[in-house]
Amino acid sequence: MCGTCGCSDPANAVSLTDPESGAQSLLRQRAAPGHAHSHAHGHDHDHDEPHVHGPHGEVISLEQAVLARNDEIAARNRSWFEGRGILALNLVSSPGAGKTTLLERTIEAVAGKIEIAVIEGDQMTANDAERIRAAGARAIQINTGAGCHLEADMVAEAVKKLDPPAGSILMIENVGNLVCPAMFDLGERMKVAVISTPEGEDKPLKYPHMFRAAELVLINKIDLAPHVGFDQARCQENIRSVHPEAAVMALSARTGEGMTDWLAFLRRQRKGAAARA
Amino acid sequence: MHELGLTRNIVAIVSEHAGARRVRRVRLAIGPWACVEREALSFCFGIAAEGTVLAGAALEFLEAEGDAFLIKDFEVEEAA
């Protein structure tokens, strides 16, 4: 429930850590979000229009998206990525599905061929950014404090620090959570959802919003499937039932099984991103 | 889970447009895939509106399509 989540507690600060230098900066004090002024909307009272009156008084039409500010920044991020031919992926999953391990193995597999930069989102600690750095890639850690998801402005700030080169891949590892990150566009090319076999086949049915938002679903820890009684066919059927167009790949970041398909997918997508730039 | 944050967004946006006028009613348009819970929004709205020009305002919902999540309009008190 929102009251306990605290993601908008004004006292909650969002911070950014560069694991290389240890430098830390405060991204924002989350007071009530201000409203961006960069887009045009009708502040002026239009006198050609007759006033509409409700039971209490004048009705003022707004038709404004509640997440307009986030979406605007996300659109800016997206055009920046597209202009430089950067493939930006938003990795979403529940905590412990193996996003960071998958990134470690991916970075090692393409070392020297493709540059990968990583934005790590977690409530606390720079542990994941440290792991990414140890695997050989540049990373920035965003700590959302009580926040349950990354937002576009956090990514914009992290990108300024990371400055990923043209033609690279930017992996945005969202906060482990299958609910809120579905709603927030970060400017990515696509969302990639990761589920792991011990979580069970019905995750897509329990969290349909997320799986509807993801273009690719990776079923991780496939090596554990026989041990945890995971039915892959049923899981794929469940994914199809909420999102028929989603691509699905099964792999194990730990054993390397199925990694070839994922790496081929990345190469293809990266080529596409470079061609569009 | 994020409804309080969303409600604060709503209060901030409407406050800005309302200026000094008291807001009596806010209408939201929400689609079936918007991923927001109306009850949670209503619960948070009272808290977020406190101490603003929206204090005591009613929050109403209109059906919309897809993942739409809009502030449709708001109603201000007529100056006496």
Side-chain angles (χ1 to χ4, degrees):
Chain A
M1 177 67 228
C2 55
T4 52
C5 157
C7 63
S8 276
D9 184 337
N12 180 43
V14 177
S15 71
L16 207 132
T17 309
D18 181 345
E20 210 152 329
S21 59
Q24 228 182 23
S25 52
L26 202 62
L27 208 61
R28 59 163 131 150
Q29 303 276 7
R30 278 188 72 141
H35 176 54
H37 281 268
S38 48
H39 61 131
H41 49 207
H43 277 286
D44 295 323
H45 199 91
D46 191 349
H47 285 280
D48 294 336
E49 292 269 323
H51 289 192
V52 181
H53 289 267
H56 305 298
E58 189 187 343
V59 175
I60 296 155
S61 176
L62 263 186
E63 299 279 349
Q64 190 181 331
V66 174
L67 292 176
R69 182 170 166 271
N70 182 77
D71 293 347
E72 225 175 86
I73 300 169
R76 273 209 300 272
N77 289 347
R78 182 167 289 114
S79 52
W80 193 83
F81 297 143
E82 284 177 357
R84 310 192 74 185
I86 293 170
L87 173 64
L89 299 179
N90 181 358
L91 268 75
V92 292
S93 80
S94 31
K99 293 189 299 296
T100 312
T101 306
L102 175 70
L103 287 179
E104 287 173 311
R105 298 293 95 81
T106 305
I107 289 159
E108 288 158 9
V110 302
K113 294 187 280 271
I114 301 173
E115 178 158 354
I116 296 182
V118 180
I119 296 173
E120 280 288 344
D122 282 297
Q123 289 199 319
M124 304 273 171
T125 84
N127 293 356
D128 282 359
E130 291 289 354
R131 283 174 60 185
I132 295 300
R133 192 171 155 244
R138 290 186 310 129
I140 288 283
Q141 180 79 48
I142 299 174
N143 285 131
T144 56
C148 47
H149 57 266
L150 291 178
E151 291 181 22
D153 63 331
M154 303 178 193
V155 169
E157 281 305 313
V159 163
K160 259 188 232 164
K161 290 227 155 57
L162 267 181
D163 195 20
S168 63
I169 297 178
L170 176 69
M171 297 284 196
I172 306 165
E173 186 181 332
N174 218 314
V175 178
N177 175 356
L178 281 175
V179 186
C180 313
M183 251 191 120
F184 293 85
D185 185 8
L186 305 179
E188 71 273 359
R189 172 83 183 80
M190 69 172 77
K191 287 187 176 70
V192 176
V194 182
I195 46 178
S196 62
T197 55
E199 296 172 53
E201 307 89 356
D202 56 352
K203 270 281 157 79
L205 303 180
K206 289 175 173 168
Y207 301 95
H209 290 284
M210 185 57 89
F211 289 90
R212 209 169 278 126
E215 283 183 48
L216 171 66
V217 180
L218 299 176
I219 304 174
N220 190 24
K221 308 188 190 177
I222 200 66
D223 54 315
L224 296 182
H227 307 290
V228 296
F230 179 84
D231 184 339
Q232 190 184 331
R234 218 169 83 205
C235 183
Q236 279 176 276
E237 188 45 51
N238 290 341
I239 295 166
R240 254 197 305 278
S241 74
V242 299
H243 190 180
E245 295 84 24
V248 182
M249 292 176 193
L251 54 81
S252 166
R254 201 176 62 87
T255 67
E257 180 185 345
M259 284 291 282
T260 329
D261 287 350
W262 159 242
L263 294 172
F265 171 87
L266 285 181
R267 282 189 208 99
R268 232 173 20 244
Q269 287 291 329
R270 177 176 166 265
K271 242 192 205 154
R276 279 189 296 272
Chain B
M1 192 161 183
H2 45 233
E3 273 82 359
L4 183 57
L6 298 172
T7 314
R8 284 183 205 261
N9 262 317
I10 294 165
V11 170
I13 293 168
V14 174
S15 298
E16 192 191 283
H17 284 83
R21 296 172 292 182
R22 282 201 71 76
V23 176
R24 299 296 304 268
R25 185 176 71 157
V26 176
R27 295 201 301 169
L28 303 178
I30 302 178
W33 307 123
C35 198
V36 288
E37 233 195 290
R38 295 170 189 214
E39 266 179 49
L41 282 178
S42 297
F43 175 80
C44 297
F45 185 71
I47 302 167
E50 223 169 279
T52 74
V53 293
L54 282 83
L59 186 68
E60 292 173 12
F61 304 103
L62 301 169
E63 300 297 332
E65 288 190 353
D67 59 0
F69 183 30
L70 301 170
I71 303 170
K72 181 82 182 159
D73 55 28
F74 63 94
E75 196 174 324
V76 291
E77 212 164 60
E78 291 288 343

